[in-house]
Amino acid sequence: MAKQYYLSNSGTHIGPFSYEAVLKKVEAGEYQWTDYVYDEGVAEWLLLMEHPEFSVRFSGKGLADTPTSSPLDNRLLEKEWFVMKNGTNHGPFCRLEIVQMLQEKSLFEYDFVWKSRMTTWLPLAEVVEFSAEEIRSLAGSGDRKVNEVFFRRRHARSSYGASLIVHNSKLVFKGEAFEISAGGAGILVQNSELQPGQSLFLHFQPGDGVPPFNAVCQVVSKQFVKDDSRQEPLNVKYGVKFTTLSQSIRESIKNYTARAA
């Protein structure tokens, strides 16, 4: 029997499909190379462009293949960026595709990128084209293709309130959750030493319809915030992705975000 594959997008798993059927869905634009695929042989969800059987067919094609008349848009669509993940170079991508991968959490600010005019590979966080200010500017541009990027999410996200305990294998900190999805959460912690790429253990107290749960996470973003309404402010906002989470809790979060939408 031919090997079967499952696809995932927006928190929904579909399949099984044959190898050829998966490729047809990508070529038809139904799925992107930055979506996830699963087969029992690999026994984990991987990006299509990183899966050993599909990566050989990956050519850097993505959402932004249609030219537009705007000079700004044409610069956004120029395929000049390369990405390094797990020691392997991928690309070329255009700037808009990199932004899409950031939005979908298949690429993070600590991942390295390069283009021909750069002297060395740099983390995305250090590249001006992908700074928070530039991303906000793009989001407010009103361009149709840009809007598609910002509205296309791998997992539905919703505001979420819950107290939590954060453990970094050495120390324990108190924190609060302010946003959640089946793929990760936004948390506030009164500790500025946590870094993108770092693994954490989180214990979430009951909150907003989701039972208490534990999760192993990876820090993917970090932002300092100020809240004058707090006597002792939780002054660092972290984005984390779930790396270990029970399926029952993942389904509970999906149900919560669906109701909150």
Side-chain angles (χ1 to χ4, degrees), residues 189-259:
V189 182
Q190 194 175 357
N191 181 289
S192 61
E193 302 303 316
L194 306 178
Q195 299 298 328
Q198 184 175 358
S199 292
L200 302 173
F201 177 84
L202 303 184
H203 173 70
F204 286 77
Q205 300 291 332
D208 291 350
V210 178
F213 67 94
N214 297 326
V216 179
C217 306
Q218 184 181 42
V219 178
V220 298
S221 64
K222 177 179 181 180
Q223 180 184 358
F224 289 90
V225 296
K226 184 177 181 181
D227 186 349
D228 294 329
S229 67
R230 294 179 180 272
Q231 190 172 5
E232 296 181 357
L234 299 172
N235 58 0
V236 187
K237 180 187 295 185
Y238 293 99
V240 300
K241 70 171 181 176
F242 297 136
T243 56
T244 302
L245 184 69
S246 73
Q247 187 59 35
S248 62
I249 290 298
R250 198 180 299 274
E251 292 300 324
S252 179
I253 295 172
K254 287 181 185 178
N255 292 336
Y256 167 75
T257 56
R259 292 194 304 269

Side-chain angles (χ1 to χ4, degrees), residues 10-68:
S10 301
T12 302
H13 303 159
I14 62 170
F17 301 107
S18 67
Y19 179 85
E20 292 75 17
V22 172
L23 289 177
K24 286 182 179 179
K25 287 183 175 295
V26 174
E27 291 167 0
E30 297 176 36
Y31 281 79
Q32 304 286 338
W33 285 102
T34 53
D35 286 322
Y36 282 80
V37 63
Y38 177 92
D39 75 68
E40 294 180 354
V42 176
E44 66 175 312
W45 290 92
L46 296 174
L47 294 179
L48 274 162
M49 70 180 189
E50 294 180 348
H51 189 287
E53 295 172 16
F54 290 96
S55 62
V56 295
R57 301 292 296 271
F58 174 63
S59 61
K61 293 181 178 180
L63 71 92
D65 293 325
T66 305
T68 63

